[in-house]
Amino acid sequence: SRVVKSENPCALIFTQTSRAANYGVGTYVDVLAQCLIPAGWNVCVFELDCPKEDEGFCILKDAGYYKLSQQGISGKHREHNYAQFVIQHFYVKSGHIVCHFNFAMYPLMAERLRTTLCAKAVFTLHFTSWSFDLSGDKERLLTILKKQNNDREKHVYKTFMDEKEFMLNNCDCVIAIAQHSFDMIRDVYGIPEGKLSLIPNGRTFTKITRDRQQGLALRRRYGFKEQELIMVFCGRLDSIKGIVYLMDAFRVLSCKEK
C-alpha cells in the first residue's frame, strides 16, 4: 500500500495503454505530473488496460507509475477491479484528492472513486470518438444524433452518448484544451459551461534563437531556398490526424503564394 501524507493534496492520474498514450496524451500526463509535484502534490499515474506482462510499479521523477492489465476481465467487472485496486493499494489520508481521467471510458470507476475516496473527478477531453469515425464532420454528427439509419450511425450515436454521460454525470470538472473544443463540449454535448475549464496544452521546452545567417544555413541544410515558403506540420503521421486534408491545404496555399 502507498500512504499519502495527510497535509498534501493527492492527484491520481488515469491513462490507458494506446497509441495516444505514446504521443499526445502521454506527453500531457507526464507534463501534468511534473507540474503538480513542485506545487506540493503527491502524484500517481495509473496506465490501464496494459498487457499482463507489462504490469508493475516504478517511481519516475518523484511520481508513482502503475501499469494495470485487464486480466481477461471486461466491462463493469474490469472497472470495478481497477477501482478496488486503487482503493486497496493506494491508501489515501488526504483531504484533497483529485482523480484525473484522460479517456472517457471508465464511468463506473470514476463514480466508485468519487464515492469511496470523496474525490473530485476531473476529465480532460483530448479527442472524441465521433471525430475519428466521421473525420470531424460535425454537421453529419448532428444529423446522426437526430436519427440513426444503420449500424455505423448507431455506433457513432452510442459512443457520443457514452462520452456525454461520462462528462455530465461522472465528472466534477471537464477540461478543454482548445477554444473550439470548449465550444463543442458546451454546444454539442450540452455540458454546462460552469463545469468547463479551458486550459490550453503546455509543454516544457528549451527556446532556441537563431540569427539570420544561422536561419539561412538551416534552410540550405534541408534544401530550401532563401525566400521559399515553409509550412510545417508537427504531429503524428496518421490518417486520423487529417494529414491528407492538410497536405491539400498546403498545396492550395503554396499555389496562392506563387
Side-chain angles (χ1 to χ4, degrees):
S1 297
R2 181 177 173 85
V3 180
V4 175
K5 297 177 182 178
S6 59
E7 66 270 18
N8 290 350
C10 175
L12 307 180
I13 304 173
F14 298 94
T15 182
Q16 181 193 51
T17 297
S18 62
R19 281 195 302 170
N22 293 327
Y23 294 93
V25 177
T27 300
Y28 179 93
V29 167
D30 290 340
V31 172
L32 176 61
Q34 295 311 307
C35 287
L36 290 172
I37 291 171
W41 286 71
N42 290 289
V43 176
C44 248
V45 178
F46 295 84
E47 182 178 317
L48 309 178
D49 299 339
C50 77
K52 185 170 177 54
E53 60 271 18
D54 291 343
E55 280 191 326
F57 169 77
C58 69
I59 295 178
L60 181 63
K61 296 181 181 178
D62 295 323
Y65 282 79
Y66 288 89
K67 286 192 173 186
L68 306 178
S69 72
Q70 296 184 35
Q71 296 186 343
I73 301 172
S74 60
K76 295 180 180 180
H77 295 295
R78 156 175 152 267
E79 290 192 62
H80 171 80
N81 284 358
Y82 284 151
Q84 198 63 24
F85 179 92
V86 175
I87 293 166
Q88 291 181 350
H89 292 77
F90 199 95
Y91 180 61
V92 180
K93 285 185 177 180
S94 174
H96 187 187
I97 306 166
V98 173
C99 295
H100 190 127
F101 291 86
N102 291 276
F103 292 85
M105 52 186 65
Y106 302 100
L108 298 179
M109 181 181 180
E111 203 54 39
R112 178 84 188 280
L113 295 178
R114 288 173 79 195
T115 302
T116 306
L117 299 179
C118 297
K120 295 293 184 182
V122 175
F123 170 59
T124 297
L125 182 70
H126 298 281
F127 61 87
T128 57
S129 296
W130 67 265
S131 292
F132 291 151
D133 293 331
L134 304 178
S135 298
D137 190 340
K138 189 169 72 172
E139 294 306 316
R140 187 178 176 194
L141 170 68
L142 296 176
T143 300
I144 291 173
L145 293 179
K146 294 177 182 178
K147 183 180 179 181
Q148 304 83 52
N149 297 310
N150 52 53
D151 288 343
R152 182 168 183 244
E153 292 185 352
K154 289 177 182 178
H155 167 75
V156 170
Y157 178 82
K158 183 181 184 306
T159 55
F160 175 91
M161 293 305 298
D162 287 345
E163 291 170 345
K164 177 177 179 176
E165 289 175 12
F166 180 71
M167 289 187 281
L168 194 61
N169 300 325
N170 304 117
C171 299
D172 297 287
C173 177
V174 177
I175 297 173
I177 58 177
Q179 185 64 56
H180 74 273
S181 180
F182 182 99
D183 296 341
M184 180 265 297
I185 297 170
R186 180 194 60 205
D187 300 338
V188 180
Y189 282 89
I191 307 303
E193 189 165 324
K195 185 179 262 192
L196 303 179
S197 293
L198 173 60
I199 307 177
N201 277 343
R203 183 72 175 103
T204 55
F205 63 93
T206 301
K207 185 177 181 180
I208 299 175
T209 57
R210 295 184 175 89
D211 60 28
R212 176 173 171 75
Q213 292 306 314
Q214 290 174 319
L216 291 175
L218 193 60
R219 277 176 169 268
R220 288 192 294 269
R221 176 181 173 184
Y222 291 102
F224 293 106
K225 298 176 182 178
E226 181 174 338
Q227 300 299 325
E228 190 171 1
L229 176 67
I230 299 176
M231 293 175 284
V232 179
F233 165 73
C234 297
R236 190 168 83 237
L237 295 179
D238 194 309
S239 60
I240 64 173
K241 294 296 185 181
I243 186 65
V244 174
Y245 301 111
L246 191 59
M247 290 170 65
D248 287 339
F250 279 4
R251 191 176 296 112
V252 171
L253 289 174
S254 180
C255 291
K256 287 184 177 180
E257 183 68 17
K258 292 177 182 179

